[in-house]
């Protein structure tokens, strides 16, 4: 596939289901996706207290196979992918040579020489192209598998019970950031204990022709547990409360992982060179001696909602910028993530506000995340 994506809007295998449920649809990275089915606040609370069902088939799956698949991924990505055990997954990033973040990824090791890289929908082609270019000289194949999978997530405290009623897979033994093959409601699936909501939950990778069958089975199994279908809108407020970064907001090519406070994903100790190593070593040193802006949480004292791009201010000076903001259904107040100067990053720093259309609204600086689930 060329790097020029088709201009037509793509639809997932569950498109007809979403429309039958009365979903409000929206364009997201070229995909026609459900924004909400009813109240996004109700959907948010369902995931926090019961369970929610998401269609995530817009995510970009890329398969890397071959004798040197691990070596290729260690060279192409900043993490130590070779050390990931079969059946486990790792959060990592792919960076440019200058250290700028191209995307954040989850990499699953499906077999000894087989990996699945899951990219954000908006960056899937960029990641695919970069992996293809970086595979030169490695005995490994990079394959675009975006059309080979539908992805359904069930998230929330009641999700283990719902899923357990449909599979004999060992869910109790499935750790966080792990995946195992199994069947769910008779459908072959890769069952992964990953998610983007701050809650326990599972992501199910299946062939697109099985997506409707699986969605309906999960819906039926979750009837007594309060499971509801959920759109992208509540997914965003859930990840914001959990302090999880979103590419294009907290992450971009203008930032290195160290600028984003995620330097821990860069593994300088792994074997061999990797793309961006020199630039990232400089960024790591700079972060220690001259801290860049720091990603913090902001909680409103009033009711006005901050949005991405709004200036963070203190003492009449701009000290940072909001990257994501929304009303928090869990906290009952507007919240935001923002990059601010290190001198103003400590929780409780006085005098910090957000410039909302010319009015400096007071905000409390807090440590991330805003919400952490009870284990």
């Amino acid at each position: 596939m060329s790097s020029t994506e088709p201009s037509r809007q793509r639809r997932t295998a569950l498109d007809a289901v979403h429309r039958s449920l009365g979903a409000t649809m929206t364009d997201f990275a070229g995909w026609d996706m459900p924004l909400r089915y009813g109240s996004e606040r109700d959907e948010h609370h369902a995931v926090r207290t019961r369970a929610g069902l998401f269609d995530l088939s817009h995510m970009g799956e890329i398969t890397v196979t071959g004798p040197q698949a691990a070596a290729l991924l260690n060279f192409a990505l900043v993490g130590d992918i070779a050390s990931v055990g079969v059946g486990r997954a790792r959060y990592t990033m792919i960076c440019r040579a200058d250290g700028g973040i191209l995307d954040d990824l989850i990499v699953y090791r499906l077999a000894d020489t087989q990996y699945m890289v899951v990219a954000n929908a908006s960056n899937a082609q960029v990641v695919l192209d970069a992996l293809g270019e970086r595979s030169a000289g490695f005995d490994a194949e990079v394959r675009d598998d975006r059309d080979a999978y539908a992805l359904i997530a069930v998230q929330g405290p009641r999700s283990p019970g719902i899923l357990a009623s449909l599979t004999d897979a060992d869910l109790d033994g499935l750790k966080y950031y792990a995946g195992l093959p199994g069947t769910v409601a008779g459908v072959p699936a890769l069952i992964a204990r990953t998610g983007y909501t701050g809650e326990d939950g599972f992501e199910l990778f299946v062939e697109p022709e099985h997506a409707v069958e699986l969605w309906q089975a999960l819906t039926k199994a979750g009837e007594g547990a309060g499971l509801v279908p959920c759109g992208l809108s509540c997914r965003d407020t859930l990840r914001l409360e959990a302090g999880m970064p979103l590419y294009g907001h907290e992450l971009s090519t203008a930032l290195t992982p160290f600028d984003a406070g995620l330097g821990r994903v860069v593994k300088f100790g792994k074997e061999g060179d990797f793309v961006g190593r020199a630039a990232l070593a400089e960024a790591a040193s700079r972060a220690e001696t001259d801290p860049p802006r720091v990603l913090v949480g902001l909680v409103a004292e009033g009711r006005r909602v901050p949005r991405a791009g709004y200036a963070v201010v203190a003492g009449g000076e701009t000290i940072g910028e909001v990257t994501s903001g929304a009303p928090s259904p869990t906290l009952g107040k507007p919240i935001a993530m923002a990059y601010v100067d290190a001198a103003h990053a400590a929780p409780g720093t006085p005098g910090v506000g957000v410039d909302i259309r010319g009015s400096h609204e007071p905000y409390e600086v807090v440590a991330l995340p805003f919400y952490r689930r009870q284990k």
Side-chain angles (χ1 to χ4, degrees):
M1 185 180 290
S2 73
S3 59
T4 303
E5 289 281 41
S7 58
R8 63 179 177 83
Q9 207 170 42
R10 302 185 69 182
R11 296 186 174 187
T12 78
L14 290 161
D15 184 75
V17 173
H18 301 318
R19 293 173 194 280
S20 73
L21 292 170
T24 298
M25 306 296 286
T26 188
D27 176 80
F28 185 83
W31 289 83
D32 202 19
M33 298 296 294
L35 185 65
R36 68 181 73 82
Y37 298 85
S39 161
E40 55 203 47
R41 180 178 292 269
D42 289 348
E43 292 171 20
H44 181 109
H45 283 309
V47 176
R48 285 279 178 258
T49 61
R50 305 186 307 276
L53 191 59
F54 296 84
D55 177 11
L56 305 180
S57 302
H58 60 308
M59 299 296 282
E61 295 88 4
I62 301 164
T63 301
V64 180
T65 58
Q68 291 188 302
L72 163 58
L73 291 171
N74 261 19
F75 170 72
L77 311 180
V78 301
D80 186 359
I81 308 305
S83 68
V84 178
V86 173
R88 297 307 302 268
R90 182 156 298 167
Y91 176 79
T92 187
M93 294 182 182
I94 182 168
C95 291
R96 303 191 307 192
D98 67 1
I101 303 167
L102 283 172
D103 201 14
D104 61 336
L105 312 164
I106 295 180
V107 180
Y108 299 87
R109 190 169 196 168
L110 304 181
D112 190 44
T113 60
Q114 181 181 3
Y115 296 80
M116 181 169 66
V117 177
V118 180
N120 286 297
S122 57
N123 294 328
Q125 190 66 47
V126 170
V127 174
L128 180 66
D129 290 345
L131 288 175
E133 291 165 6
R134 297 174 189 187
S135 69
F138 289 93
D139 187 4
E141 176 193 356
V142 176
R143 187 174 70 236
D144 181 0
D145 269 349
R146 284 177 287 180
D147 292 334
Y149 292 102
L151 176 56
I152 296 173
V154 55
Q155 297 279 304
R158 295 181 184 172
S159 58
I162 293 168
L163 192 59
S165 71
L166 296 174
T167 182
D168 58 5
D170 180 17
L171 300 183
D172 288 340
L174 186 63
K175 297 177 181 176
Y176 187 51
Y177 265 68
L180 81 168
T183 59
V184 181
V187 172
L190 171 66
I191 306 168
R193 199 164 206 153
T194 44
Y196 193 52
T197 63
E199 297 297 336
D200 191 11
F202 303 88
E203 295 182 319
L204 308 172
F205 296 85
V206 299
E207 293 181 8
E209 55 263 37
H210 296 310
V212 171
E213 175 188 353
L214 180 57
W215 179 280
Q216 291 173 340
L218 286 162
T219 298
K220 185 171 177 52
E223 282 176 354
L227 175 80
V228 301
C230 295
L232 294 182
S233 185
C234 84
R235 181 170 150 90
D236 190 51
T237 53
L238 288 160
R239 71 91 193 169
L240 177 56
E241 288 183 351
M244 294 177 170
L246 175 63
Y247 196 89
H249 289 256
E250 289 71 42
L251 308 174
S252 72
T253 53
L255 298 170
T256 72
F258 295 94
D259 297 325
L262 291 166
R264 64 183 181 275
V265 305
V266 181
K267 304 301 181 185
F268 292 113
K270 65 179 176 178
E271 202 172 305
D273 195 13
F274 62 92
V275 176
R277 176 191 275 274
L280 289 168
E282 286 183 19
S285 176
R286 191 167 59 245
E288 287 184 6
T289 58
D290 182 21
R293 283 182 166 176
V294 179
L295 187 65
V296 301
L298 299 174
V299 177
E301 294 182 18
R303 308 303 302 172
R304 299 188 72 183
V305 178
R307 299 297 182 189
Y310 286 10
V312 182
V313 294
E317 301 290 328
T318 297
I319 61 160
E321 184 176 301
V322 171
T323 54
S324 297
S328 165
T330 302
L331 275 64
K333 300 177 180 179
I335 60 172
M337 287 197 283
Y339 282 109
V340 302
D341 294 342
H344 298 272
T349 298
V352 173
V354 176
D355 186 339
I356 301 181
R357 299 186 180 90
S359 174
H360 290 189
E361 301 291 326
Y363 273 75
E364 180 187 359
V365 179
V366 300
L368 292 170
F370 301 97
Y371 166 85
R372 197 185 301 274
R373 72 182 173 94
Q374 300 299 310
K375 299 293 184 182

